[in-house]
Tab-separated table of all heavy atoms in Angstrom:
chain	number	residue	atom	x	y	z
A	277	PHE	N	24.345	-12.326	-14.746
A	277	PHE	CA	24.287	-13.143	-15.954
A	277	PHE	C	23.682	-14.502	-15.597
A	277	PHE	O	24.072	-15.115	-14.601
A	277	PHE	CB	25.684	-13.349	-16.549
A	277	PHE	CG	26.361	-12.078	-16.976
A	277	PHE	CD1	27.167	-11.370	-16.084
A	277	PHE	CD2	26.200	-11.573	-18.256
A	277	PHE	CE1	27.797	-10.199	-16.456
A	277	PHE	CE2	26.834	-10.395	-18.646
A	277	PHE	CZ	27.635	-9.708	-17.750
A	278	TYR	N	22.741	-14.960	-16.403
A	278	TYR	CA	22.084	-16.252	-16.166
A	278	TYR	C	22.566	-17.229	-17.235
A	278	TYR	O	22.342	-17.029	-18.420
A	278	TYR	CB	20.573	-16.094	-16.241
A	278	TYR	CG	19.807	-17.211	-15.566
A	278	TYR	CD1	19.279	-17.049	-14.292
A	278	TYR	CD2	19.607	-18.436	-16.206
A	278	TYR	CE1	18.578	-18.071	-13.656
A	278	TYR	CE2	18.909	-19.462	-15.587
A	278	TYR	CZ	18.399	-19.275	-14.314
A	278	TYR	OH	17.708	-20.284	-13.693
A	279	LEU	N	23.238	-18.294	-16.774
A	279	LEU	CA	23.833	-19.276	-17.689
A	279	LEU	C	23.070	-20.591	-17.620
A	279	LEU	O	22.579	-20.985	-16.547
A	279	LEU	CB	25.294	-19.553	-17.330
A	279	LEU	CG	26.367	-18.535	-17.721
A	279	LEU	CD1	26.145	-17.177	-17.069
A	279	LEU	CD2	27.753	-19.064	-17.362
A	280	GLY	N	22.994	-21.271	-18.756
A	280	GLY	CA	22.397	-22.590	-18.787
A	280	GLY	C	23.164	-23.525	-19.689
A	280	GLY	O	23.721	-23.114	-20.715
A	281	THR	N	23.231	-24.797	-19.298
A	281	THR	CA	23.907	-25.819	-20.104
A	281	THR	C	23.378	-27.192	-19.701
A	281	THR	O	22.795	-27.349	-18.617
A	281	THR	CB	25.430	-25.774	-19.913
A	281	THR	OG1	26.054	-26.778	-20.709
A	281	THR	CG2	25.809	-26.011	-18.463
A	282	ASN	N	23.569	-28.159	-20.579
A	282	ASN	CA	23.238	-29.551	-20.258
A	282	ASN	C	24.472	-30.383	-19.960
A	282	ASN	O	24.370	-31.605	-19.811
A	282	ASN	CB	22.439	-30.171	-21.409
A	282	ASN	CG	21.043	-29.585	-21.517
A	282	ASN	OD1	20.293	-29.583	-20.548
A	282	ASN	ND2	20.706	-29.048	-22.688
A	283	ASN	N	25.615	-29.715	-19.853
A	283	ASN	CA	26.879	-30.410	-19.612
A	283	ASN	C	27.578	-29.738	-18.431
A	283	ASN	O	28.020	-28.601	-18.539
A	283	ASN	CB	27.748	-30.364	-20.869
A	283	ASN	CG	29.039	-31.148	-20.732
A	283	ASN	OD1	29.422	-31.571	-19.637
A	283	ASN	ND2	29.729	-31.349	-21.845
A	284	SER	N	27.698	-30.449	-17.329
A	284	SER	CA	28.321	-29.849	-16.146
A	284	SER	C	29.771	-29.473	-16.395
A	284	SER	O	30.298	-28.548	-15.748
A	284	SER	CB	28.235	-30.815	-14.949
A	284	SER	OG	28.933	-32.017	-15.214
A	285	ASN	N	30.436	-30.135	-17.331
A	285	ASN	CA	31.830	-29.804	-17.635
A	285	ASN	C	31.966	-28.398	-18.220
A	285	ASN	O	33.013	-27.768	-18.093
A	285	ASN	CB	32.419	-30.821	-18.613
A	285	ASN	CG	32.594	-32.192	-17.983
A	285	ASN	OD1	32.814	-32.295	-16.776
A	285	ASN	ND2	32.475	-33.241	-18.784
A	286	VAL	N	30.905	-27.925	-18.868
A	286	VAL	CA	30.916	-26.563	-19.409
A	286	VAL	C	31.047	-25.551	-18.263
A	286	VAL	O	31.848	-24.614	-18.334
A	286	VAL	CB	29.647	-26.294	-20.235
A	286	VAL	CG1	29.501	-24.802	-20.539
A	286	VAL	CG2	29.671	-27.089	-21.529
A	287	LEU	N	30.278	-25.757	-17.211
A	287	LEU	CA	30.374	-24.839	-16.065
A	287	LEU	C	31.729	-24.959	-15.380
A	287	LEU	O	32.284	-23.965	-14.914
A	287	LEU	CB	29.253	-25.125	-15.071
A	287	LEU	CG	27.816	-24.952	-15.586
A	287	LEU	CD1	26.826	-25.046	-14.432
A	287	LEU	CD2	27.641	-23.639	-16.329
A	288	GLY	N	32.251	-26.181	-15.310
A	288	GLY	CA	33.574	-26.368	-14.724
A	288	GLY	C	34.648	-25.624	-15.498
A	288	GLY	O	35.565	-25.041	-14.905
A	289	LYS	N	34.528	-25.639	-16.817
A	289	LYS	CA	35.498	-24.932	-17.653
A	289	LYS	C	35.396	-23.420	-17.452
A	289	LYS	O	36.421	-22.719	-17.321
A	289	LYS	CB	35.257	-25.283	-19.128
A	289	LYS	CG	36.251	-24.674	-20.092
A	289	LYS	CD	35.969	-25.133	-21.526
A	289	LYS	CE	36.986	-24.528	-22.501
A	289	LYS	NZ	36.712	-24.952	-23.901
A	290	ILE	N	34.170	-22.911	-17.405
A	290	ILE	CA	33.970	-21.476	-17.166
A	290	ILE	C	34.561	-21.082	-15.820
A	290	ILE	O	35.244	-20.049	-15.694
A	290	ILE	CB	32.472	-21.122	-17.221
A	290	ILE	CG1	31.941	-21.294	-18.647
A	290	ILE	CG2	32.232	-19.695	-16.734
A	290	ILE	CD1	30.438	-21.160	-18.757
A	291	ARG	N	34.297	-21.894	-14.810
A	291	ARG	CA	34.807	-21.609	-13.470
A	291	ARG	C	36.317	-21.457	-13.479
A	291	ARG	O	36.869	-20.474	-12.944
A	291	ARG	CB	34.388	-22.724	-12.505
A	291	ARG	CG	35.052	-22.632	-11.141
A	291	ARG	CD	34.761	-23.849	-10.276
A	291	ARG	NE	35.582	-23.830	-9.068
A	291	ARG	CZ	36.800	-24.344	-8.978
A	291	ARG	NH1	37.341	-24.967	-10.023
A	291	ARG	NH2	37.489	-24.247	-7.854
A	292	ARG	N	37.009	-22.420	-14.068
A	292	ARG	CA	38.470	-22.390	-14.074
A	292	ARG	C	38.991	-21.174	-14.834
A	292	ARG	O	39.939	-20.513	-14.394
A	292	ARG	CB	39.022	-23.673	-14.690
A	292	ARG	CG	38.833	-24.909	-13.819
A	292	ARG	CD	39.441	-26.148	-14.475
A	292	ARG	NE	40.888	-26.025	-14.609
A	292	ARG	CZ	41.765	-26.372	-13.663
A	292	ARG	NH1	41.349	-26.854	-12.503
A	292	ARG	NH2	43.063	-26.235	-13.867
A	293	GLU	N	38.379	-20.860	-15.951
A	293	GLU	CA	38.885	-19.757	-16.783
A	293	GLU	C	38.626	-18.403	-16.134
A	293	GLU	O	39.489	-17.509	-16.176
A	293	GLU	CB	38.257	-19.837	-18.175
A	293	GLU	CG	38.767	-21.040	-18.975
A	293	GLU	CD	38.178	-21.121	-20.373
A	293	GLU	OE1	37.296	-20.290	-20.712
A	293	GLU	OE2	38.592	-22.012	-21.141
A	294	ILE	N	37.461	-18.228	-15.517
A	294	ILE	CA	37.178	-16.952	-14.845
A	294	ILE	C	38.123	-16.744	-13.669
A	294	ILE	O	38.729	-15.672	-13.509
A	294	ILE	CB	35.706	-16.895	-14.395
A	294	ILE	CG1	34.790	-16.706	-15.603
A	294	ILE	CG2	35.499	-15.755	-13.387
A	294	ILE	CD1	33.311	-16.656	-15.260
A	295	LEU	N	38.253	-17.770	-12.829
A	295	LEU	CA	39.106	-17.624	-11.647
A	295	LEU	C	40.578	-17.464	-12.020
A	295	LEU	O	41.325	-16.765	-11.329
A	295	LEU	CB	38.933	-18.820	-10.719
A	295	LEU	CG	37.561	-18.948	-10.032
A	295	LEU	CD1	37.511	-20.225	-9.190
A	295	LEU	CD2	37.272	-17.736	-9.150
Side-chain angles (χ1 to χ4, degrees):
F277 298 90
Y278 200 100
L279 283 61
T281 180
N282 290 306
N283 184 348
S284 62
N285 291 330
V286 167
L287 299 189
K289 183 177 181 181
I290 292 172
R291 171 188 171 272
R292 289 182 64 87
E293 291 181 355
I294 287 179
L295 292 177

